[in-house]
Amino acid sequence: MLSFLIRRLNLLLITALILTIIAFMIDRTVTISHATTTLDQRNYIAQYFSYLWQIINGNFGYSSIDQQGLLKRGLVFFASTLELCFVALLFSSLMAIPLGLLAGLFRNTKLDYMIMTIAIIGLALPVFWVGVMAILLPSIGGDILPVDGNLSLVYDIPVVTGFLLIDTLLVTEQYGFFAFIDRVAHLILPALVLSFFLIAEIVRLTRHSMTMVMRSNYIQTAYAKGFSRTKIVFTHALKNALPPIIPQLRLQLSTILSFAMTVEIVFNLNGIGKWLFISLKSGDYLVLPAGMLIITGFILIFSIATEIVMVLISPLRRGSLYVDK
Amino acid sequence: MALLDIRNLSIDIETAQGKIRVIDKASLNIVDGSIHGLIGESGSGKTLIAKAILGLHNSNWTVTADRMFLGKTDLSKLSQKERRQILGTEISMIFQEPSSYLDPSQKIHTQIESVLPKKTMQQRFRRILSKIKRAHISSRRLQIKELLHKVGIQNDVAVLNCYPHQLSEGVCQKVMIAMAIANNPRLIIADEPTTSMEAVTQSQIFRLLYKLNQLNNTTLLILSNNFANTSGISDYMTLVYCGQTVESGSYKQIMGSAMHPYTQAMLKTMINNEEIYEHKAQLYTLPGNIPSSNQLPIGCRLGPRCPRAQRICVKNPTLTIKKGHSFRCHYPIKLS
Amino acid sequence: MLINNGFNEDKIQSPLRYIWSIFKGKSIAVVAMWLMIILITTSILSPWFMPHSPLTQDPESMLLPPYWAKGGNINHILGTDDLGRDTLSRLFQGLQFTLGGALTITFFVAFLGMVIGAGAALTKGVKASVLHHLLDALLAIPSLLSALILITIFGPSYTNCLIAIGLSLLPQFIRASYIVIEQELSKQYIVALQLDGATKTRLFRYGILPNILEPTITILNRLFTMSIIEIATLGFLGFGAQLPQTELGSLIANSMELIYLSPWLVTFPGLAIFLVIVIVNIFAEGLRHAVIEGEE
């Protein structure tokens, strides 16, 4: 286990280094083409190492507009993006996993076709357009659920964790639960819009995984043992069908974040997507490398975490640990 | 007395090119307490017959049979629930490549335990009592241990705590057999139980199956593509070619006086050291190869390859039974 | 050993022909295929047969609703925008840019990705390892972000937008095709081919390519869907096609301020994107199923 962890961390470090090189390249290109500061005359390697040293020290540069540290601002914005993703993921998993399992179980029946139609529709709807339409429909939009910003301007929430859902709960003596409810109300529509794509994706993955498991030989054994279909699904199929979805979903993480960024811009949520968008529009190009490093850093850490979780829950993977591939 | 009596079992499978009759009027008669070998080339439909007996077919199969009796129960008229009660307790099955037939995410212990009869309330109560008394070995644990010892696994504790991918094929097959005999079924169907195993393990498995038959009087149906391998232990044999049962009879009848040209050909392919072959002589085979399932010939399916075939062979021959020796051929050998 | 082959009629349909015959049986997929062909040809030929040019401004008829709604005009089937330009013509022009761009991206990315993916799978050692780490790093960047970065560097224009999206989708496609080829490579018949002394190209052409049809269709379909959505998204954000070029995403963005005056202008381009993706997905699903059934 330890050697596995070390190997993974090693890979992580190499990937992170490559990413800093890319960030450095973007940083230089942007500074040269939009020359705002005096150019560094040293050679690129020396420049890179000083850049790397800055990043390790947590100095991602300063915004050219309000001279604030990019790392801290970026992290606060990113926390809000993650919140959106998390709520959307939770909602769509609750919806999609049962649907996908049903579709896989009753493959090529009317139920299956119906569920797959939903999945194709979810995949084909462009996220930003659904967002626009959701704002447009006045019955759900303007009147009942708010569609602008993270939180009503009435509330002044100090940043503690960056996750507004938690921060609003920390100020209950000031606002009661109203701030929290307001935050939830602000999240519902964007999360719903983001779930369209996620549901489609999870339904597909679950259905595929379930079909594969139900076709496998050990399900035949279970039938031959005289187990009922329900019992087979609950004792054998679920345990084998659900874990493979997690790494598949992990591969989709960067796509999910892409969509979340679009949703933020449409709904005017203060997430990393909107931050990057606004900054780029106003000519603050240094946010690009900073934002990239924050997002990719999260994705890397998250993938290691999922891999460890997979090893912990799936015996087959645990077996493959000892075999050096 | 017949334990399993199947007459004219036909299976049609729906495919892209329409219905294909994969099993054509197969008949099988298994005597109680015997070992019956069902022999045919791969793809001849042995597994399909076995699955039809168990009722494990997909929705795109249509299974029809004139008679399909296990003892006194009619297998073709069972409801899903009744069938489930029979499976595992009256009939159980052993598969080829056993490691893929064990659930990869469960320990062997859990899998064997799931086959054992359900605990009654009394047993549960007793188990709680024994826990209080700190008795380490529960009765179930003992039962499982006994089962594993029966199939020749000595280090039961180690095996029980393993996942299937940690065990070899031979051990997996023994575990499968242990699971199959857990409820003392009347019939065990073994589907090519020894493919992809080493010779030593093969003979171990066969000896184990033979012992089961002798000690528990369990009836065995062994599916195999190897004539020589199975003929050693089986009392009765049935040969399948392309979904048709061509000949069926006792070991002596088949080996001594084969009636069907296909059986004859199979016997000739067995290499025995007594006959002296000419140097570099070609070994005997039937001409041609097995037709693909969408291009089956009409009538007797051996027809185009059969050395004795004549014009009438495009019609399906009827079953001829003589002293328990049955075959389907228009021009049988040695019929005087 | 063809010494005693009793069958003279061992001819079996060629696999592609067989797959086609299965595909023809799937009516929805065939309809989707025809719709796709019609969509592509009409969007290419639209300048020649559309009654209105997408750029002609008509001050007489501004912000017309579609003809079935109240106050609609049969001359402008889907209505007009705030400058009196015909929505249908603009839609077709937008489709031309979006669909054409997506097809171009799909084609180039598929080619490049296949070549690099196959190269990575067939080579070992330092080259493959460098490629892997680079891919790992690039894959961690969300495609929208990398497209934004590239456009910031190149400057916003339609061509640059296509290049940026292509480059941002490339790592995903390389990884996907790499995984597919790698899985195929571990199979037994590839070993047999290798023992026959097949060169790498031969191995790829005859051993791998015919057997990865089904996953390739899935990957291509995904690539196409993603590139349409990304083109539209970038257009919507204002980083894609610049005026007077119209593209479906920028059509939506331009009509945003008119959203309460004439919601049709926002609705139609979105529906067009939706329909294109649905049609292509149904076609690809049908094809994939035909391939799966054909291989069984």
Side-chain angles (χ1 to χ4, degrees):
Chain A
M1 189 70 198
L2 193 69
S3 73
F4 164 76
L5 271 182
I6 290 170
R7 206 164 59 213
R8 285 311 311 173
L9 279 177
N10 204 4
L11 285 179
L12 177 87
L13 276 183
I14 295 175
T15 319
L17 271 181
I18 295 175
L19 281 170
T20 55
I21 294 175
I22 296 172
F24 170 72
M25 274 154 51
I26 298 166
D27 186 83
R28 285 305 106 143
T29 328
V30 166
T31 9
I32 289 167
S33 61
H34 306 273
T36 47
T37 48
T38 47
L39 288 178
D40 205 332
Q41 295 303 324
R42 287 175 296 166
N43 69 354
Y44 281 118
I45 295 170
Q47 281 184 42
Y48 169 69
F49 279 109
S50 64
Y51 183 79
L52 188 61
W53 182 244
Q54 277 180 11
I55 282 175
I56 292 169
N57 284 324
N59 175 7
F60 280 34
Y62 295 94
S63 160
S64 63
I65 297 169
D66 51 8
Q67 306 304 326
Q68 288 203 337
L70 287 175
L71 176 65
K72 204 183 159 209
R73 297 208 68 188
L75 281 178
V76 171
F77 283 125
F78 190 55
S80 141
T81 308
L82 280 186
E83 211 168 58
L84 171 66
C85 288
F86 179 73
V87 173
L89 191 67
L90 203 69
F91 175 70
S92 42
S93 306
L94 285 179
M95 289 281 293
I97 290 180
L99 283 180
L101 290 177
L102 280 177
L105 211 51
F106 299 99
R107 201 184 160 76
N108 294 338
T109 57
K110 278 206 179 109
L111 185 70
D112 178 26
Y113 292 142
M114 234 158 67
I115 293 171
M116 287 322 283
T117 314
I118 295 174
I120 285 194
I121 290 175
L123 198 71
L125 284 172
V127 167
F128 63 93
W129 183 68
V130 179
V132 171
M133 291 319 262
I135 296 172
L136 178 69
L137 292 174
S139 53
I140 341 167
D143 294 350
I144 302 164
L145 293 169
V147 289
D148 49 336
N150 283 12
L151 201 62
S152 297
L153 295 171
V154 188
Y155 305 105
D156 179 32
I157 310 290
V159 177
V160 183
T161 53
F163 295 98
L164 273 172
L165 281 178
I166 301 170
D167 285 355
T168 46
L169 280 179
L170 291 176
V171 290
T172 36
E173 63 264 18
Q174 200 181 342
Y175 297 113
F177 282 100
F178 291 109
F180 180 70
I181 293 167
D182 188 60
R183 172 63 181 149
V184 172
H186 274 89
L187 264 181
I188 289 178
L189 259 188
L192 220 80
V193 170
L194 188 56
S195 328
F196 268 77
F197 163 77
L198 272 176
I199 287 177
E201 209 43 54
I202 299 176
V203 162
R204 277 183 173 210
L205 291 174
T206 323
R207 174 176 181 263
H208 178 76
S209 171
M210 192 64 181
T211 326
M212 283 302 152
V213 167
M214 286 311 278
R215 272 190 199 161
S216 60
N217 289 337
Y218 51 86
I219 297 295
Q220 294 255 311
T221 321
Y223 274 119
K225 281 177 186 172
F227 289 178
S228 69
R229 200 180 159 91
T230 342
K231 190 178 177 188
I232 291 172
V233 169
F234 280 104
T235 53
H236 294 287
L238 286 187
K239 212 178 166 193
N240 287 297
L242 289 181
I245 300 172
I246 298 173
Q248 288 288 334
L249 210 58
R250 203 260 301 162
L251 289 179
Q252 295 299 320
L253 186 64
S254 62
T255 321
I256 296 169
L257 278 173
S258 280
F259 280 122
M261 282 156 68
T262 324
V263 169
E264 275 163 13
I265 296 168
V266 173
F267 280 95
N268 207 16
L269 288 175
N270 283 322
I272 199 151
K274 198 194 155 203
W275 179 55
L276 288 174
F277 181 66
I278 299 274
S279 307
L280 285 182
K281 286 272 168 178
S282 51
D284 186 5
Y285 297 105
L286 278 178
V287 293
L288 273 182
M292 194 203 84
L293 282 177
I294 292 171
I295 295 176
T296 49
F298 169 74
I299 289 179
L300 285 186
I301 292 168
F302 188 79
S303 24
I304 299 285
T306 44
E307 223 162 289
I308 292 172
V309 169
M310 283 308 292
V311 165
L312 289 181
I313 60 173
S314 162
L316 257 182
R317 293 226 167 194
R318 225 176 299 153
S320 68
L321 270 192
Y322 304 104
V323 192
D324 214 16
K325 276 187 183 171
Chain B
M1 206 207 104
L3 175 68
L4 187 70
D5 185 12
I6 299 177
R7 282 292 158 73
N8 293 345
L9 169 78
S10 299
I11 301 175
D12 299 273
I13 295 184
E14 203 94 49
T15 64
Q17 294 125 340
K19 261 188 180 178
I20 291 175
R21 172 152 287 206
V22 279
I23 300 292
D24 187 19
K25 290 185 180 167
S27 301
L28 197 61
N29 197 333
I30 298 177
V31 180
D32 203 354
S34 68
I35 298 182
H36 198 111
L38 187 66
I39 294 148
E41 286 152 89
S42 44
S44 60
K46 303 172 305 250
T47 314
L48 297 183
I49 294 177
K51 282 188 177 167
I53 296 171
L54 289 171
L56 289 180
H57 40 260
N58 302 4
S59 52
N60 58 348
W61 292 21
T62 17
V63 180
T64 44
D66 290 354
R67 267 174 78 83
M68 208 163 149
F69 275 80
L70 176 80
K72 283 183 182 113
T73 39
D74 188 348
L75 289 174
S76 55
K77 288 201 182 94
L78 286 179
S79 70
Q80 284 290 330
K81 205 176 170 192
E82 288 165 329
R83 189 183 288 281
R84 282 206 299 272
Q85 276 163 0
I86 283 183
L87 291 179
T89 52
E90 304 257 308
I91 321 176
S92 46
M93 187 153 176
I94 302 165
F95 298 92
Q96 54 186 343
E97 289 166 19
S99 60
S100 72
Y101 279 91
L102 289 166
D103 188 339
S105 66
Q106 283 188 349
K107 285 187 178 172
I108 301 290
H109 179 264
T110 331
Q111 301 195 41
I112 296 184
E113 197 179 23
S114 69
V115 196
L116 296 178
K118 281 230 170 67
K119 287 179 208 163
T120 56
M121 277 314 280
Q122 205 184 357
Q123 280 170 326
R124 276 177 203 219
F125 184 64
R126 208 177 289 156
R127 189 173 162 174
I128 295 166
L129 270 187
S130 68
K131 260 193 187 163
I132 296 167
K133 281 182 199 159
R134 292 194 183 168
H136 282 293
I137 303 168
S138 67
S139 64
R140 254 175 127 66
R141 194 99 205 182
L142 259 176
Q143 228 176 324
I144 294 172
K145 193 176 166 180
E146 229 169 73
L147 268 179
L148 285 186
H149 283 221
K150 240 188 231 174
V151 295
I153 296 177
Q154 261 91 36
N155 48 350
D156 51 292
V157 184
V159 169
L160 283 176
N161 283 321
C162 281
Y163 288 97
H165 64 94
Q166 295 168 311
L167 300 173
S168 70
E169 288 279 306
V171 178
C172 280
Q173 190 60 285
K174 284 175 187 170
V175 170
M176 286 294 289
I177 295 174
M179 276 173 16
I181 60 170
N183 289 320
N184 287 321
R186 289 205 277 170
L187 173 68
I188 295 179
I189 302 174
D191 183 2
E192 302 192 19
T194 58
T195 35
S196 75
M197 279 180 207
E198 304 146 48
V200 179
T201 329
Q202 276 193 20
S203 58
Q204 264 182 10
I205 299 284
F206 272 124
R207 236 181 297 144
L208 180 63
L209 290 175
Y210 184 68
K211 218 169 68 187
L212 278 179
N213 171 256
Q214 297 295 308
L215 295 178
N216 300 2
N217 202 25
T218 316
T219 317
L220 279 171
L221 174 64
I222 299 181
L223 278 56
S224 174
N225 54 10
N226 192 335
F227 200 92
N229 213 334
T230 331
S231 57
I233 59 166
S234 34
D235 305 318
Y236 296 90
M237 282 173 164
T238 300
L239 281 95
V240 193
Y241 177 78
C242 278
Q244 291 177 326
T245 46
V246 291
E247 186 163 9
S248 173
S250 69
Y251 174 70
K252 228 162 119 190
Q253 284 165 335
I254 296 281
M255 299 304 272
S257 55
M259 300 280 198
H260 201 283
Y262 181 67
T263 320
Q264 195 78 28
M266 284 296 266
L267 287 174
K268 274 190 201 166
T269 56
M270 283 170 74
I271 301 170
N272 41 7
N273 296 327
E274 288 133 43
E275 267 179 68
I276 298 145
Y277 290 101
E278 205 177 305
H279 185 57
K280 284 194 178 174
Q282 207 179 0
L283 290 176
Y284 180 79
T285 52
L286 272 181
N289 43 17
I290 307 170
S292 61
S293 60
N294 51 1
Q295 294 177 325
L296 290 171
I298 52 166
C300 178
R301 289 182 177 172
L302 188 64
R305 298 176 69 186
C306 183
R308 299 169 69 86
Q310 289 181 37
R311 202 166 153 189
I312 199 166
C313 286
V314 295
K315 279 193 188 132
N316 211 346
T318 49
L319 193 69
T320 323
I321 307 175
K322 293 218 160 172
K323 293 176 194 163
H325 186 177
S326 61
F327 55 89
R328 276 175 191 274
C329 190
H330 291 292
Y331 301 101
I333 302 157
K334 272 203 255 170
L335 189 72
S336 48
Chain C
M1 293 294 278
L2 287 170
I3 302 168
N4 36 26
N5 187 356
F7 284 89
N8 295 323
E9 292 177 291
D10 252 355
K11 262 185 208 151
I12 296 174
Q13 275 180 312
S14 87
L16 284 181
R17 211 171 262 267
Y18 182 59
I19 289 168
W20 175 243
S21 75
I22 296 174
F23 180 77
K24 274 197 294 192
K26 297 181 187 298
S27 44
I28 303 176
V30 175
V31 169
M33 184 189 73
W34 281 112
L35 281 178
M36 209 170 81
I37 294 171
I38 290 170
L39 213 59
I40 292 172
T41 42
T42 44
S43 61
I44 291 170
L45 299 178
S46 65
W48 284 280
F49 71 81
M50 288 314 289
H52 306 278
S53 152
L55 298 173
T56 322
Q57 301 180 2
D58 185 3
E60 303 283 298
S61 49
M62 285 197 296
L63 284 176
L64 282 180
Y67 82 96
W68 61 84
K70 204 180 160 209
N73 188 339
I74 196 72
N75 277 334
H76 302 280
I77 293 178
L78 294 183
T80 52
D81 68 355
D82 54 334
L83 294 174
R85 291 175 291 195
D86 183 47
T87 309
L88 189 65
S89 312
R90 273 164 72 74
L91 217 55
F92 268 115
Q93 202 203 4
L95 208 59
Q96 208 175 333
F97 276 99
T98 312
L99 198 60
L103 284 175
T104 327
I105 290 176
T106 311
F107 179 75
F108 280 108
V109 171
F111 179 73
L112 273 177
M114 213 38 151
V115 169
I116 301 175
L122 290 170
T123 52
K124 287 188 176 61
V126 184
K127 254 187 288 177
S129 151
V130 166
L131 195 70
H132 271 292
H133 287 305
L134 201 61
L135 269 185
D136 269 345
L138 288 178
L139 273 174
I141 311 175
S143 54
L144 184 71
L145 181 62
S146 50
L148 276 184
I149 292 170
L150 290 168
I151 282 184
T152 316
I153 293 169
F154 298 150
S157 83
Y158 177 65
T159 337
N160 287 347
C161 158
L162 289 195
I163 295 172
I165 292 169
L167 286 178
S168 66
L169 289 175
L170 190 60
Q172 288 182 27
F173 189 79
I174 294 176
R175 175 50 62 91
S177 55
Y178 169 78
I179 291 173
V180 167
I181 293 171
E182 182 73 35
Q183 272 174 1
E184 212 55 36
L185 266 178
S186 60
K187 291 186 180 164
Q188 299 284 313
Y189 62 86
I190 296 294
V191 178
L193 261 180
Q194 277 170 336
L195 289 179
D196 271 354
T199 55
K200 291 264 156 74
T201 31
R202 192 182 165 77
L203 202 65
F204 182 68
R205 169 66 188 82
Y206 293 98
I208 295 168
L209 213 51
N211 293 304
I212 55 170
L213 211 55
E214 185 248 316
T216 312
I217 291 171
T218 318
I219 298 171
L220 282 180
N221 178 21
R222 194 177 174 81
L223 183 63
F224 183 78
T225 312
M226 289 312 287
S227 51
I228 282 199
I229 288 183
E230 295 242 318
I231 292 176
T233 308
L234 283 182
F236 177 72
L237 297 181
F239 292 106
Q242 304 294 309
L243 292 171
Q245 289 171 330
T246 39
E247 176 274 333
L248 290 177
S250 58
L251 264 184
I252 296 177
N254 294 339
S255 325
M256 278 292 276
E257 58 256 38
L258 305 167
I259 196 167
Y260 292 108
L261 268 177
S262 171
W264 306 107
L265 289 177
V266 182
T267 315
F268 288 130
L271 275 182
I273 300 173
F274 170 69
L275 279 180
V276 169
I277 299 178
V278 164
I279 288 170
V280 172
N281 267 280
I282 292 175
F283 167 70
E285 265 312 279
L287 199 60
R288 198 172 70 89
H289 277 275
V291 171
I292 293 174
E293 275 173 43
E295 280 172 357
E296 266 169 10

